[in-house]
Amino acid sequence: MGLRHLARRGTSPATRTLAGLPGGIVTRRRGRGSEPDDVRLWSEGDDRRHIDRNATARTGILHVRTHHDERDRAVVLLVDFRPSMLFGTRRALRSVAAAEALVLLGWRVAGDGGRVGLVAVGAGEPVVVRPAGGERAMTAVTGALAMAHAQALADASTKDPPLSRALTLAQSLLPSGGHLVLGTALDDPGEDFDALLTIMAERLSIRLVLVSDAFERTRPPGFYPFATPDGRRGTVQASRADRGAPGADARLVAYAQRGIEGLRLDVEAGPEAYAPLMERLDAVL
C-alpha cells in the first residue's frame, strides 16, 4: 500500500487520458463494445439482437453473446511465491521484489482507469483476485499478496509446482486481448510452460518481469553459509569454475523472439529503481 506514491510519480492529467477519450472529464461510455466476450444462456431482459444463432441452433436453447468494450484494459498480475522464490542475498527475497514491482504496475494501471487482478502461486493453492478497477481493487490485491506470501513462508514444502496451472487460471480471468504480467525467476517452471505460454501469447499480451538476485549474476569464489525454511543450516563452497543457469538477459532475448517482451528486475535495486521500469512497462500494455 505504501508504494502508491512511487507509482504516481511522473503522471499528471496532462500526460494521462483519464477516460480513454479526448478531454479532461471522466464520463461513462455508452453502448456495447464489438469484441465478443462470452456466450451464455438467454435470460429475461436480454436484447434479442444479441442472440447467438450458432449456439442456439446447436443446442436448441436460446443463447446470447456478450461483448466487452475494446477500450477496457484488464491486467492480471501473476506473482511467483513458490519455494525457490523465497531466496535472497541482498535487501529482500526474490518473492518480495516481484511483489513490489507488480504492485507498482498495478497502482499505475488502476490509476489510469484499468482493471487489475491477481494470481499468486505458491506451493499450495493459488490466491486469486478477479480483475476490478479503482483503489478498492488494488487494496484487495495488496491484501491478497500479503496473505499469499505469509502462507508461502509458513509452508514446509521445498518442491516447486509447475507454473502451467497458474497460467491457465490467469488466462481464464482475462478477455481476448487482455494483459498478463508475470513476476518470477522462472526456476523449474515445468515441462509444458514454454509451449503453453507461446500459445497464450496468440490471445493475450504477455509481459515478463524476470527477477534476478545478485548472487545469481556474480558468484565470487568463497564459502557461503545458508539456511532453509525447515531450519537446516550449512555452508557451500563456490569456485571460479562454477557456472549457473543461463543469465536473465539471455533468457529474455529467447522469449522476445517468441513475441513475449520482458525486463530484468534486480532484487538489490529496490522499489525506487523499479518505478521507472514499471512506468515503461505500463506504456506498452
Side-chain angles (χ1 to χ4, degrees):
M1 290 293 289
L3 296 178
R4 284 178 296 177
H5 69 286
L6 287 178
R8 290 172 179 167
R9 290 184 184 177
T11 60
S12 67
T15 60
R16 285 168 39 195
T17 304
L18 297 179
L21 296 169
I25 300 175
V26 179
T27 59
R28 183 180 295 277
R29 293 188 290 272
R30 296 181 180 274
R32 296 176 182 265
S34 60
E35 279 292 315
D37 184 26
D38 196 10
V39 176
R40 60 173 174 79
L41 289 173
W42 183 86
S43 60
E44 190 66 33
D46 284 336
D47 193 330
R48 287 180 293 181
R49 292 175 297 178
H50 297 290
I51 290 176
D52 187 281
R53 297 177 182 179
N54 293 332
T56 299
R58 186 170 60 251
T59 63
I61 304 173
L62 280 176
H63 283 71
V64 293
R65 182 173 291 276
T66 59
H67 300 78
H68 66 82
D69 195 324
E70 298 92 325
R71 296 179 183 270
D72 179 30
R73 183 166 68 146
V75 180
V76 166
L77 311 174
L78 196 161
V79 188
D80 188 354
F81 287 162
R82 297 177 304 156
S84 63
M85 288 291 288
L86 307 178
F87 160 81
T89 60
R90 306 279 181 88
R91 194 186 70 82
L93 302 179
R94 295 191 297 182
S95 55
V96 172
E100 290 170 338
L102 294 199
V103 161
L104 282 168
L105 178 62
W107 279 116
R108 292 190 61 87
V109 171
D112 287 337
R115 297 185 295 125
V116 184
L118 172 73
V119 175
V121 55
E125 288 297 314
V127 175
V128 179
V129 177
R130 298 189 67 85
E135 185 171 338
R136 180 176 296 180
M138 278 306 299
T139 301
V141 166
T142 54
L145 275 172
M147 179 184 71
H149 198 262
Q151 290 175 352
L153 291 173
D155 198 311
S157 176
T158 58
K159 184 178 180 181
D160 284 356
L163 285 174
S164 53
R165 181 188 174 192
L167 283 180
T168 303
L169 184 56
Q171 183 180 27
S172 70
L173 300 176
L174 287 167
S176 180
H179 305 275
L180 175 62
V181 183
L182 290 80
T184 177
L186 285 183
D187 290 342
D188 196 16
E191 294 181 359
D192 55 349
F193 173 81
D194 283 345
L196 180 57
L197 198 66
T198 302
I199 294 172
M200 288 174 56
E202 298 177 0
R203 178 177 177 268
L204 303 174
S205 169
I206 301 178
R207 296 293 180 265
L208 178 62
V209 177
L210 194 57
V211 183
S212 175
D213 185 84
F215 185 74
E216 300 172 90
R217 298 190 302 276
T218 305
R219 189 177 303 177
F223 292 90
Y224 295 91
F226 69 87
T228 60
D230 60 3
R232 187 167 63 91
R233 296 177 179 273
T235 303
V236 295
Q237 182 180 8
S239 67
R240 294 186 184 276
D242 290 341
R243 293 181 178 269
D249 294 332
R251 300 172 82 178
L252 288 172
V253 169
Y255 278 104
Q257 292 172 347
R258 299 205 297 269
I260 301 169
E261 301 292 336
L263 54 86
R264 192 185 83 193
L265 189 79
D266 296 343
V267 173
E268 65 274 15
E272 289 279 353
Y274 302 160
L277 296 176
M278 294 304 106
E279 183 176 354
R280 291 200 294 270
L281 186 59
D282 178 42
V284 299
L285 290 180

